[in-house]
Amino acid sequence: MDNLADLQHLSLVSKVCTELDNHLGLSDKTLAEFIIDLARRNPQLADFKHALDENGAEFPSSFAASLLSLISKMAPKRKERAIEPLPGAVSASQPEKFAGLALPNASDS
């Protein structure tokens, strides 16, 4: 993970801890990370609620929906990095623009 994704993940864990503290009166980082992992594995509300129930977390449906929505919106997006061409490089599919600017300077002597 890069630094931005790490920061986004820490922010998400903190927000889930805050929500747990507000609704249940406990703020546990490990529990928050476990709930985030359950949400990533079960992106549908019914599956997420079922996974919570299987693990002994009998949250109200509205709280489970709120957590799932929060996690899906704040979770760092996993994306593949595209290979970017070097600055100034001309690809084969793109014709060279401004070819006159690539000429060497004329000598004044």
Side-chain angles (χ1 to χ4, degrees):
M1 266 194 212
D2 62 342
N3 292 337
L4 180 61
D6 289 340
L7 185 60
Q8 288 174 333
H9 180 74
L10 289 174
S11 176
L12 175 61
V13 170
S14 175
K15 186 65 176 171
V16 171
C17 282
T18 302
E19 290 297 314
L20 289 171
D21 191 34
N22 289 342
H23 287 81
L24 305 175
L26 60 102
S27 180
D28 184 16
K29 179 183 171 189
T30 306
L31 178 60
E33 289 181 348
F34 179 70
I35 291 172
I36 291 168
D37 185 59
L38 285 178
R40 286 186 177 155
R41 292 182 188 189
N42 303 288
Q44 301 298 320
L45 180 58
D47 298 334
F48 179 63
K49 178 75 172 124
H50 182 69
L52 287 172
D53 290 340
E54 280 183 347
N55 288 289
E58 298 173 0
F59 296 157
S61 294
S62 61
F63 182 51
S66 174
L67 282 175
L68 184 61
S69 175
L70 174 78
I71 292 167
S72 65
K73 289 178 184 174
M74 289 186 67
K77 305 294 184 234
R78 296 178 183 173
K79 59 182 177 181
E80 296 179 21
R81 292 187 177 185
I83 299 174
E84 296 180 15
L86 295 174
V90 178
S91 66
S93 63
Q94 179 183 7
E96 184 176 346
K97 296 179 183 178
F98 308 111
L101 296 176
L103 298 176
N105 292 337
S107 66
D108 291 334
S109 38

